[in-house]
Amino acid sequence: MTDKKFIEASNTAVFTTKFVTTDNKDITYVTHDKDDSAWQFFSSDKIDNLEDVAKIVGLDQIIKIDSTILELADMPVGHSAYRKFKGDKWIIEQISK
């Protein structure tokens, strides 16, 4: 467990998919967008049409689904993180644009 906490409020809107919220898939890819500082949390599922599966939830709901994402709470904007499965080590990279 980590002592890290997000600086954003627990009710901050974040982006995810039904695969994470409904199908209980592991969060394996996270972005902290440079343009708007938005957080996005994805599983490894292939997405053909994001509009069909997109969900907006509170940050606290994501933390309840998978508290290991707290390890990324201090990830700077403009970065992403990925792993193979829940409990795997996060690999953090700067998003190239």
Side-chain angles (χ1 to χ4, degrees), residues 4-6 32 39 70-77 92:
K4 292 182 184 180
K5 293 185 184 339
F6 285 88
H32 194 188
W39 286 94
L70 287 168
E71 297 169 16
L72 302 175
D74 58 359
M75 185 170 73
V77 295
I92 300 172

Side-chain angles (χ1 to χ4, degrees), residues 74-88:
D74 58 359
M75 185 170 73
V77 295
H79 285 72
S80 65
Y82 63 92
R83 63 185 177 181
K84 292 181 181 174
F85 53 86
K86 183 178 178 177
D88 193 18

Side-chain angles (χ1 to χ4, degrees), residues 11 14 24-25 34 64 68 79 87 89 93:
N11 64 348
V14 299
N24 299 314
K25 301 285 186 82
K34 187 174 187 175
K64 285 178 188 170
T68 68
H79 285 72
K89 181 174 171 33
E93 298 178 335

Side-chain angles (χ1 to χ4, degrees), residues 12-92:
T12 298
V14 299
F15 300 94
T16 190
T17 66
K18 73 172 193 76
F19 302 120
V20 172
T21 60
T22 305
D23 300 342
N24 299 314
K25 301 285 186 82
D26 288 350
I27 296 170
T28 56
Y29 182 65
V30 177
T31 66
H32 194 188
D33 298 340
K34 187 174 187 175
D35 57 347
D36 60 3
S37 298
W39 286 94
Q40 299 188 56
F41 301 90
F42 298 100
S43 62
S44 57
D45 292 274
K46 183 175 183 275
I47 299 173
D48 293 320
N49 184 355
L50 185 58
E51 289 182 11
D52 290 342
V53 297
K55 299 286 182 190
I56 298 174
V57 299
L59 180 58
D60 57 344
Q61 186 175 348
I62 291 292
I63 295 168
K64 285 178 188 170
I65 290 169
D66 181 356
S67 64
T68 68
I69 61 99
L70 287 168
E71 297 169 16
L72 302 175
D74 58 359
M75 185 170 73
V77 295
H79 285 72
S80 65
Y82 63 92
R83 63 185 177 181
K84 292 181 181 174
F85 53 86
K86 183 178 178 177
D88 193 18
K89 181 174 171 33
W90 287 106
I91 298 169
I92 300 172

